[in-house]
Amino acid sequence: MKRIVALDMLRGYALVCIMLDHMPIGLLRNLTLTNFAVFDAAELFVLLSGFLVGMVWVKVEARQGRRTAQLRFLRRAAQVWLALIAGAILLALFSALLFKLHMNHTAVWFQYARWILEHPIGYVATVALMWMQPNLLDVLALYVLLIATVPLTVPFLLRMPWIALAVSVAIWWFAAPLNAMIPNQRPGPGLLFNPFGWQLLFFSGVAMGAFRDRLMPVLQRHGRLLTAVSAAVLLFSLTVVLSWKIGAPAKPLTDALRQITGGIDKWSLDFVRFAAILAASWIVAVPLARPFAWMAGTRPGEALAEIGRGGLFSFIVCVMLSIWGDALDMTVAKGGAAWFWLRLAIDLWLIVAFWAIAALWMRRESWLPQLRARLRLD
């Protein structure tokens, strides 16, 4: 299947934003997506993942049949589950190593470092059972559940799209009480990323990927109207975020906006966030399609695309680097110009390191066989 480079670039951008957002005192986290819209990179990542699922499913089913597509995504769900377990082990061990080196960090809960050393079997078992989802890896737990349903839900969506949409909206509407029924280690009800809420965004992405050839000609007949509405939604979204950032001086505006939006909850996928990411998707896919295609051909765009193509590997690297970046940030003494430049240097170095690791991984066919031969692993 021919890859869409701009799509890979956006996935890479989402992963870089996630890395920076997970560094509590990082400098460039003030420039990530969440600073300009009521949604953040998590929505972008899930929507793009759904889009790819829709594209891949249609291609595989057309060429090799439905059963092959179903088996492919069952295997994919297993891969994501194994990545969740491997990531949780690496996260806890890396955190423990940093504490051993007296490098404090707050991006990840300190208890994981203790549990992996004191109760390794129990730690791995609770993660494998998904009774516990270490923070920074929560979205992988959501992804496991969503991908595991794909062999049943996608054929239903392709056959009866409007009924599937109605079912998805109904599940989203009752997401909070449904999530509360999931047994979990967290003190709050259910999973942090509520799968009953976020499935609406994921399957919206699946529908976009699966039906894009039929959808776009219909939608483009109303292109000007959709662009105007989408731009208005994004402008409203930006206004909401700016009112939050301004704080007390903008309280009257914040209160007025809250009368319209209510509380904007990320974890169950609030409608305001859902509408904003869909509006952004239209703006990127239609009026800004050419600029984004151009950006994908630049050096930075190609670097982001390599990160995006890294998939699960890139996500795990993203988590590890965010922990390391947080630990490095906390070693920098606050105050003075050096504090600013050192923290900026840490963020930039992490982005470059992220790209270098992803690029090395994507070229593994050229060096991995030689390494295996030298280590006599073949």
Side-chain angles (χ1 to χ4, degrees):
M1 185 182 72
K2 185 178 179 181
R3 300 194 70 97
I4 302 175
V5 180
L7 196 65
D8 289 328
M9 179 187 71
L10 285 171
R11 290 185 81 199
Y13 170 72
L15 287 168
V16 169
C17 285
I18 289 171
M19 178 184 71
L20 295 172
D21 285 339
H22 284 161
M23 295 164 54
I25 58 173
L27 196 64
L28 291 183
R29 75 191 306 265
N30 296 303
L31 299 177
T32 58
L33 188 58
T34 190
N35 295 279
F36 307 101
V38 293
F39 62 91
D40 61 26
E43 279 94 345
L44 178 58
F45 184 78
V46 171
L47 182 67
L48 291 174
S49 297
F51 187 88
L52 288 170
V53 167
M55 283 202 315
V56 171
W57 181 284
V58 170
K59 296 287 186 183
V60 173
E61 184 175 7
R63 295 174 182 175
Q64 299 172 279
R66 177 171 296 178
R67 181 166 292 275
T68 300
Q70 289 173 319
L71 291 174
R72 175 168 180 156
F73 282 99
L74 281 176
R75 287 194 296 270
R76 184 59 175 172
Q79 290 171 352
V80 179
W81 177 68
L82 291 173
L84 172 63
I85 297 170
I89 294 170
L90 290 172
L91 174 148
L93 289 175
F94 188 44
S95 178
L97 174 62
L98 289 174
F99 281 127
K100 187 73 174 176
L101 296 173
H102 304 290
M103 295 185 70
N104 193 23
H105 51 281
T106 58
V108 65
W109 194 30
F110 71 95
Q111 287 285 8
Y112 303 137
R114 291 180 54 190
W115 289 341
I116 192 68
L117 298 176
E118 296 175 1
H119 308 287
I121 296 176
Y123 176 82
V124 173
T126 53
V127 172
L129 293 171
M130 291 178 53
W131 186 72
M132 177 176 71
Q133 307 89 42
N135 68 296
L136 308 191
L137 293 171
D138 315 77
V139 73
L140 279 189
L142 167 71
Y143 201 37
V144 171
L145 296 175
L146 295 176
I147 293 292
T149 70
V150 160
L152 294 177
T153 52
V154 172
F156 174 49
L157 184 151
L158 295 177
R159 188 173 181 180
M160 294 181 284
W162 291 110
I163 296 176
L165 173 62
V167 171
S168 183
V169 170
I171 292 172
W172 170 80
W173 186 264
F174 295 101
L178 288 171
N179 191 39
M181 294 187 290
I182 299 179
N184 200 267
Q185 170 261 344
R186 291 180 59 246
L191 276 64
L192 184 62
F193 280 90
N194 185 337
F196 300 101
W198 282 73
Q199 55 78 28
L200 179 61
L201 179 61
F202 177 77
F203 288 113
S204 296
V206 173
M208 291 178 191
F211 297 123
R212 69 190 189 283
D213 293 336
R214 283 184 277 172
L215 274 176
M216 290 308 294
V218 175
L219 293 176
Q220 284 177 334
R221 294 173 197 163
H222 312 284
R224 290 186 179 180
L225 175 62
L226 288 172
T227 299
V229 171
S230 296
V233 169
L234 291 181
L235 182 60
F236 178 79
S237 170
L238 176 61
T239 304
V240 171
V241 172
L242 289 178
S243 73
W244 292 344
K245 288 189 168 295
I246 294 171
K251 189 176 185 303
L253 176 60
T254 303
D255 292 340
L257 292 171
R258 190 175 289 117
Q259 294 297 316
I260 302 172
T261 63
I264 301 178
D265 175 31
K266 171 179 179 176
W267 308 116
S268 288
L269 187 63
D270 187 87
F271 177 75
V272 176
R273 296 175 71 102
F274 177 68
I277 184 67
L278 291 187
S281 301
W282 174 263
I283 294 294
V284 169
V286 182
L288 295 183
R290 287 186 179 179
F292 270 84
W294 174 81
M295 283 190 286
T298 64
R299 289 292 178 87
E302 291 172 353
L304 288 173
E306 284 201 284
I307 293 173
R309 285 194 292 271
L312 288 173
F313 176 82
S314 288
F315 186 88
I316 300 301
V317 172
C318 160
V319 170
M320 298 301 114
L321 288 178
S322 64
I323 300 170
W324 195 6
D326 179 39
L328 290 173
D329 277 337
M330 296 187 75
T331 65
V332 179
K334 190 172 183 179
W339 173 72
F340 173 87
W341 292 111
L342 281 173
R343 287 173 64 199
L344 178 61
I346 289 169
D347 286 353
L348 294 175
W349 181 85
L350 287 171
I351 295 171
V352 173
F354 198 178
W355 164 75
I357 295 169
L360 188 64
W361 175 252
M362 295 305 298
R363 293 165 175 76
R364 62 189 180 278
E365 291 183 359
S366 64
W367 56 265
L368 190 57
Q370 298 176 12
L371 179 62
R372 291 174 64 88
R374 287 187 181 182
L375 297 175
R376 297 180 181 178
L377 295 176
D378 291 329

